[in-house]
Amino acid sequence: MDIIGFRKFFSSIQRHFLSTSAAFCSFSSVSRPFTVEYLMNSCGLPLKSAISASNKILLVENNLKKPNSVLDLLKSHGFSRNQVAKLIEKRPSLLLSKVEGNLKPKIVFLVGNGFKGTLLPELIVGSPAILLRALDSHIKPSIEFLKGVLENEVKFITAIQRSSWLISSGWKGTLKPNIEYLISEGTPISSISKIIQLQPRAMLQKPARMIYAVEYVKKLGIEPSIPVFVNALRVMLSMSETTWQKKFEVLKSLGWSEEQIVSAFQREPALLSCSEEKLRRATDFYLNTMKLDLDILIGYPKFLMFAIDQRLLPRYKVLKVLMSKNLYKDKGKIVWKLTLSEKVFQERYILKHVDEVPELLQIYDCAGKNKSVVT
């Protein structure tokens, strides 16, 4: 759309909003036609987003050096038109930033620290706040600190991709004291690195919350120096104290004692990551459908973590059919077949018997909601 055509179109939209829409009762919503025009034509924003963004910045037609320089910088570093639009929609004020003394040095530093190619626009669009942070007092020291903990660039990039907050947040008040506290408690650097990679937001908890979680996990008999501590701490930090207690109450209602829950958690911390519904359904399946003893679940808590509809039911139905046809006779060990890899299970209990029992494929597909069988 050319400039004259756009302005005529915008004028008609403006009159429509002012005369018919209570939602646009404020004249400021549509009082900056050139800004909206620029945001649409140069930045790629849709009309509604451009009008909204125009409330936050004012662009002057004869003074576009800054916004044009910002767009040129972004495009020169691989930002697509769609990514530019998303970024400016989130942070219109970036168009008024200085390039040489502000944005460019930050982008160059990020590129130099591994964010090359598509990684850079993905990072910035996902977390525009990074560009609002000071380079020397925030971005540089936070990245240098993280890279010192994470051992290599691959791990560093992986962690930042999972949570750009590691760079954009106030790392001095959370990340740094949390890491220093874990080290003081005897947690190996390799374990801390693992937490940052797998669940980076856990490391951005308030230090008081981190101290509480570590002390609680230690009371459960899991010391910071052992490998399982990482998973236990991640689970503990992933939920509120109320949710944590509810998980205990659910398991107790299913026949577990508190000592048994703690014992299971020590071996398989992710058990308490399961939802309350999952814990109930899985227990019901094992105790009432498979007729297992509770002691087996307590001894091997990972059973409760398997997907019910996608793994347990399909396999159980296949094995029951094989048993009914005397093709599977090891009834006492049926539960352990649920732990096999998908490939091994299919080879041993489906493909091996499909000529004798053609309906196995259909039973497995239907029970598993169209699970694919590798033939």
Side-chain angles (χ1 to χ4, degrees):
M1 183 181 295
D2 59 30
I3 294 176
I4 295 175
F6 172 82
R7 290 178 178 171
K8 288 181 178 179
F9 168 71
F10 184 83
S11 179
S12 67
I13 291 294
Q14 182 180 24
R15 288 194 299 272
H16 173 73
F17 282 146
L18 291 174
S19 62
T20 65
S21 177
F24 285 81
C25 58
S26 172
F27 183 75
S28 64
S29 298
V30 288
S31 64
R32 297 176 176 179
F34 177 74
T35 300
V36 175
E37 173 190 339
Y38 186 91
L39 291 169
M40 290 179 66
N41 291 345
S42 298
C43 304
L45 274 68
L47 177 60
K48 184 177 179 181
S49 298
I51 292 174
S52 176
S54 72
N55 291 322
K56 302 170 184 176
I57 58 168
L58 175 63
L59 302 177
V60 181
E61 190 169 2
N62 61 359
N63 187 16
L64 296 175
K65 184 177 180 180
K66 279 186 179 179
N68 286 342
S69 297
V70 170
L71 295 182
D72 289 342
L73 175 69
L74 296 176
K75 292 172 184 176
S76 70
H77 282 88
F79 284 70
S80 68
R81 183 171 176 79
N82 185 49
Q83 287 172 326
V84 169
K86 287 182 178 179
L87 177 60
I88 301 305
E89 183 176 5
K90 289 181 177 180
R91 297 282 181 172
S93 61
L94 286 174
L95 288 172
L96 302 179
S97 301
K98 293 180 180 180
V99 169
E100 292 301 324
N102 186 0
L103 298 184
K104 187 175 179 179
K106 295 173 185 177
I107 286 179
V108 169
F109 182 77
L110 290 171
V111 171
N113 279 274
F115 292 96
K116 302 177 177 67
T118 60
L119 293 178
L120 178 69
E122 288 172 359
L123 172 68
I124 299 301
V125 174
S127 184
I130 290 173
L131 292 181
L132 302 180
R133 290 292 190 173
L135 177 59
D136 291 326
S137 63
H138 186 94
I139 297 175
K140 281 185 178 180
S142 65
I143 286 179
E144 289 167 358
F145 179 76
L146 275 170
K147 293 185 82 170
V149 176
L150 289 170
E151 301 171 320
N152 61 57
E153 191 170 274
V154 173
K155 292 180 179 180
F156 166 72
I157 296 295
T158 299
I160 301 304
Q161 284 180 310
R162 289 190 172 170
S163 181
S164 56
W165 290 1
L166 289 168
I167 297 178
S168 61
S169 70
W171 68 282
K172 288 183 181 179
T174 54
L175 183 66
K176 188 172 184 288
N178 283 339
I179 289 176
E180 291 175 344
Y181 169 67
L182 289 174
I183 292 174
S184 72
E185 286 292 310
T187 312
I189 289 292
S190 58
S191 294
I192 296 173
S193 173
K194 186 176 180 181
I195 297 177
I196 296 174
Q197 291 174 74
L198 296 178
Q199 196 170 329
R201 292 191 181 188
M203 297 303 298
L204 296 172
Q205 302 272 350
K206 292 181 178 179
R209 168 67 175 156
M210 176 65 74
I211 293 171
Y212 170 81
V214 169
E215 290 302 315
Y216 193 98
V217 170
K218 286 167 62 178
K219 286 179 181 178
L220 295 178
I222 304 175
E223 290 298 321
S225 59
I226 64 176
V228 75
F229 174 80
V230 172
N231 295 326
L233 183 62
R234 286 173 54 210
V235 171
M236 184 70 193
L237 289 171
S238 70
M239 67 187 82
S240 67
E241 186 176 353
T242 300
T243 301
W244 174 271
Q245 293 301 330
K246 284 183 179 178
K247 301 287 181 71
F248 266 70
E249 293 306 317
V250 167
L251 289 173
K252 286 180 181 179
S253 71
L254 296 171
W256 295 58
S257 68
E258 185 155 337
E259 292 74 17
Q260 289 169 331
I261 298 172
V262 171
S263 176
F265 180 74
Q266 290 171 340
R267 282 172 284 129
E268 199 65 61
L271 168 68
L272 292 181
S273 291
C274 297
S275 68
E276 296 168 44
E277 180 187 4
K278 172 71 178 296
L279 292 173
R280 289 192 180 95
R281 282 194 65 201
T283 300
D284 178 71
F285 171 78
Y286 286 116
L287 300 187
N288 299 319
T289 300
M290 292 192 67
K291 308 300 181 183
L292 290 184
D293 291 332
L294 180 60
D295 288 344
I296 294 179
L297 296 184
I298 294 170
Y300 196 77
K302 194 165 186 175
F303 279 143
L304 291 173
M305 298 164 57
F306 292 139
I308 299 169
D309 296 321
Q310 295 298 317
R311 184 187 189 111
L312 302 181
L313 286 173
R315 295 189 181 196
Y316 181 69
K317 290 184 177 182
V318 164
L319 294 173
K320 290 293 286 184
V321 169
L322 294 178
M323 289 168 62
S324 70
K325 297 181 179 295
N326 292 319
L327 295 173
Y328 177 82
K329 300 179 180 179
D330 194 2
K331 298 179 183 180
K333 296 182 180 180
I334 186 173
V335 68
W336 297 106
K337 309 311 173 189
L338 304 177
T339 68
L340 298 174
S341 71
E342 186 67 20
K343 181 179 179 182
V344 171
F345 183 85
Q346 289 185 15
E347 288 175 349
R348 292 184 185 177
Y349 301 105
I350 297 178
L351 300 179
K352 180 179 179 181
H353 301 290
V354 73
D355 291 335
E356 301 165 277
V357 192
E359 63 267 30
L360 278 182
L361 291 174
Q362 184 178 1
I363 291 170
Y364 195 62
D365 285 348
C366 292
K369 297 180 181 179
N370 298 315
K371 288 169 65 71
S372 60
V373 177
V374 180
T375 57

